[in-house]
Amino acid sequence: MLKQSELHIKSTLYLHYASEEMYDTISNQLYLSFPNKKDYRYILYQGEGKNSRFIYNGSENFFLDLADSTIQVAKHPKEEDIYSNTTFNISYVTWRLGLNSFKSNKDIGKKISQESLNGKKVYKVELNIGQNFLSKTGVLNPMKIKAENLLIVYLDQKTLLPLELISQRVGSKDFVKTKIEYLSLKGKRPHETSWFTSSYNEFKPYKKISLAQLAVNQAAPTWSMSLANQHGSRSLAEYKGKYLILEFYIKNCGYCIEGVKKLNTLQERLSGKNVAILSVNSQDSEADLHSFIRTQKPAYDIVWDKDGTVSKAYGVDGVPHVFILDQEGKVIYNGGLDQDKIWSVLDGKI
């Protein structure tokens, strides 16, 4: 499998999280070059997706946004940053970089059988990686939750190249799957100059817009937003005289999902107190908004910041993010969804 000096592939990633009603398909074409026969981890690549290109030339990792003609460049990136693009999640690269450790690791349960996949004879390799999470670079990282995880790989019997990789938890319907098609290299080898940032002078450097967050003691901007989990709306004026825990979140965010349990616990703990909890969603579609409510079952109100105006006004550039407003609508807390910190701010006031 490691004999190839270059490959041109189409990689299609399927995210299938039935438990959270989250489904997505991401497809990219990749040119992979392996110039150092003695170092199988040394990989150069050029990838192309919808409105984007991403390139690693051995010293620079850069991303081209074709829609807004911007470029992001990272010089001398670490290995995990080289493969930060989603397309490397459970990918050919994952298999290549992890193969030697998979073979030598005695704690991994291994099973090999012969099967047929789409009419082609394949080897089915089942790896029981236990209570570990597989990184994009094939590294096993321990998980805090109890789980038994599998990596299933279908290899072409002639070339031993991976055709399909599946990451799945035992007993779960959730999985991540990657299908790989090996394409002709004819006419697809990148031009020599395409590997260097100097060839993309028409692209302007990407600049992240930093939003000014509300400071403690600052009066919070007023708003009115539609409720997502019932009819009607909520406005900041309705909470005058109460303390308000205002959380900003999105659907496809692990910390936000964990945050529902924390906020439900706070809601129960604060029952009868002069405090309200309200969550704000500003990035998801209406369908995703209702899917989150259906699967996560928040015990507090959720409003939809449909055009993102409120999130921008509050300076939110990461989630989950929490503001606590006092009875007059002034900020008394600005930070993460930390139950202990939230409680310490409110303790003695309610």
Side-chain angles (χ1 to χ4, degrees):
M1 182 202 117
L2 303 182
K3 294 180 179 179
Q4 292 79 14
S5 61
E6 58 182 345
L7 288 170
H8 178 218
I9 67 174
K10 179 182 179 182
S11 181
T12 305
L13 176 69
Y14 301 89
L15 303 175
H16 187 280
Y17 295 105
S19 63
E20 297 168 18
E21 296 187 13
M22 187 179 88
Y23 310 96
D24 201 1
T25 302
I26 303 168
S27 186
N28 292 292
Q29 287 199 23
L30 283 167
Y31 171 80
L32 302 166
S33 175
F34 317 106
N36 190 338
K37 293 182 179 179
K38 294 182 179 180
D39 184 1
Y40 71 94
R41 301 188 75 85
Y42 187 63
I43 305 173
L44 309 181
Y45 66 75
Q46 291 201 26
E48 188 169 345
K50 186 179 180 181
N51 293 323
S52 68
R53 290 185 67 192
F54 42 100
I55 299 169
Y56 176 63
N57 61 20
S59 61
E60 294 176 320
N61 188 23
F62 55 100
F63 177 85
L64 301 165
D65 189 317
L66 305 181
D68 62 8
S69 297
T70 58
I71 182 171
Q72 298 180 57
V73 183
K75 296 183 180 294
H76 308 294
K78 296 179 181 178
E79 187 175 70
E80 59 266 29
D81 296 324
I82 293 171
Y83 305 108
S84 60
N85 193 285
T86 305
T87 198
F88 295 112
N89 190 4
I90 313 298
S91 64
Y92 171 88
V93 168
T94 307
W95 179 246
R96 181 184 177 93
L97 298 186
L99 185 57
N100 284 346
S101 63
F102 297 155
K103 289 179 180 178
S104 61
N105 193 327
K106 295 180 180 180
D107 293 328
I108 295 178
K110 306 174 183 74
K111 182 181 177 182
I112 301 177
S113 58
Q114 297 188 50
E115 292 195 13
S116 177
L117 180 69
N118 300 323
K120 183 175 287 190
K121 290 182 179 180
V122 296
Y123 292 115
K124 180 183 180 182
V125 181
E126 295 182 67
L127 303 177
N128 189 322
I129 60 176
Q131 196 170 322
N132 290 292
F133 170 76
L134 184 63
S135 77
K136 295 173 184 174
T137 56
V139 176
L140 296 179
N141 298 308
M143 298 173 65
K144 292 182 180 180
I145 62 172
K146 290 185 178 181
E148 187 177 355
N149 295 310
L150 298 176
L151 175 64
I152 301 170
V153 185
Y154 293 95
L155 303 175
D156 186 296
Q157 287 193 11
K158 291 182 179 180
T159 63
L160 297 183
L161 289 169
L163 302 174
E164 197 168 288
L165 302 96
I166 303 170
S167 175
Q168 187 170 25
R169 187 174 299 171
V170 174
S172 172
K173 294 181 180 180
D174 296 345
F175 64 84
V176 177
K177 177 168 67 177
T178 297
K179 288 185 177 182
I180 303 171
E181 298 176 53
Y182 295 88
L183 308 176
S184 171
L185 283 159
K186 188 176 181 180
K188 294 297 181 181
R189 291 181 177 89
H191 192 275
E192 185 178 358
T193 60
S194 68
W195 291 97
F196 307 107
T197 55
S198 57
S199 299
Y200 303 95
N201 291 327
E202 70 273 24
F203 287 80
K204 57 185 180 291
Y206 170 79
K207 292 182 180 180
K208 183 177 179 180
I209 299 174
S210 298
L211 299 174
Q213 283 192 354
L214 296 179
V216 172
N217 293 324
Q218 186 176 348
T222 59
W223 43 259
S224 178
M225 293 177 278
S226 298
L227 282 163
N229 48 352
Q230 55 180 303
H231 294 295
S233 62
R234 290 286 182 268
S235 67
L236 181 59
E238 294 177 48
Y239 296 96
K240 186 175 177 63
K242 288 186 176 183
Y243 289 93
L244 176 63
I245 300 172
L246 193 63
E247 183 230 14
F248 291 81
Y249 83 98
I250 61 173
K251 174 179 179 282
N252 296 340
C253 160
Y255 293 113
C256 300
I257 291 170
E258 292 174 6
V260 175
K261 293 180 181 178
K262 295 178 181 179
L263 290 173
N264 281 348
T265 299
L266 278 170
Q267 177 84 342
E268 186 176 352
R269 190 176 180 183
L270 294 168
S271 178
K273 305 286 187 181
N274 195 32
V275 184
I277 297 176
L278 186 69
S279 277
V280 181
N281 181 293
S282 63
Q283 292 188 19
D284 296 321
S285 66
E286 189 171 8
D288 282 345
L289 193 59
H290 291 302
S291 171
F292 183 89
I293 294 168
R294 195 164 50 245
T295 56
Q296 304 307 322
K297 298 178 173 52
Y300 44 88
D301 284 340
I302 290 181
V303 288
W304 191 21
D305 181 20
K306 190 173 182 179
D307 58 4
T309 302
V310 178
S311 298
K312 289 177 182 177
Y314 279 65
V316 176
D317 59 2
V319 290
H321 196 95
V322 172
F323 296 93
I324 301 179
L325 310 182
D326 69 9
Q327 295 163 311
E328 299 300 319
K330 287 186 177 181
V331 178
I332 58 173
Y333 174 80
N334 172 359
L337 209 176
D338 186 311
Q339 287 172 293
D340 293 334
K341 287 182 178 180
I342 291 171
W343 187 253
S344 67
V345 170
L346 293 172
D347 191 31
K349 293 183 173 66
I350 55 176

